[in-house]
Amino acid sequence: MLSDIYLEKPIVIWIFLVGNLLLLPIVYFITRTIGQKKRLFDERHKEIMNQAKAKSWNITFFVLLIAYIVMMLLNYYYLHLIVMSIIFQLHCGSFMVASVYFRSKVE
């Protein structure tokens, strides 16, 4: 059930997870503070991000619909993990593309 890496060296995985859980909020607050000082989070930024999120979720909806059909037809053990990982990556990629598109449209 558990991966071979975890069974061999569980402390490494726990250090990685705890390190990420501690590092991510610190990076978030530092970038948020710098962005607020430079006034990067104004109404224009919020509107662009809202448009990008809406477009990204529209794309993700259709990807989830197709993935649902594929997972129902092909019932492999690890297919669900792979498909959900791909969907998450496609969602993040579509959000990035949509935010770049809407930002270039405004400027």
Side-chain angles (χ1 to χ4, degrees):
M1 192 68 141
L2 298 172
S3 69
D4 294 334
I5 297 171
Y6 181 76
L7 292 175
E8 291 173 9
K9 298 180 182 180
I11 190 71
V12 174
I13 302 297
W14 281 106
I15 290 172
F16 177 74
L17 289 174
V18 171
N20 279 338
L21 289 175
L22 294 175
L23 184 66
L24 288 176
I26 293 169
V27 170
Y28 172 78
F29 286 117
I30 289 173
T31 56
R32 193 80 182 158
T33 304
I34 292 171
Q36 286 176 346
K37 287 180 182 176
K38 293 183 179 181
R39 292 185 171 83
L40 296 178
F41 306 117
D42 56 354
E43 292 81 18
R44 184 180 61 160
H45 171 77
K46 290 178 183 176
E47 182 64 28
I48 290 169
M49 289 299 114
N50 286 337
Q51 288 176 344
K53 287 176 188 176
K55 187 60 70 177
S56 177
W57 277 112
N58 289 341
I59 293 168
T60 304
F61 172 76
F62 288 107
V63 171
L64 281 171
L65 183 65
I66 293 168
Y68 177 74
I69 294 169
V70 168
M71 285 192 293
M72 293 303 283
L73 293 175
L74 306 172
N75 193 10
Y76 292 114
Y77 185 66
Y78 291 107
L79 182 65
H80 303 321
L81 175 65
I82 294 169
V83 169
M84 292 309 291
S85 298
I86 291 170
I87 289 171
F88 180 70
Q89 291 172 1
L90 285 173
H91 173 69
C92 292
S94 65
F95 177 65
M96 181 184 66
V97 169
S99 63
V100 169
Y101 171 75
F102 287 117
R103 183 164 305 274
S104 68
K105 203 171 166 184
V106 170
E107 293 177 351

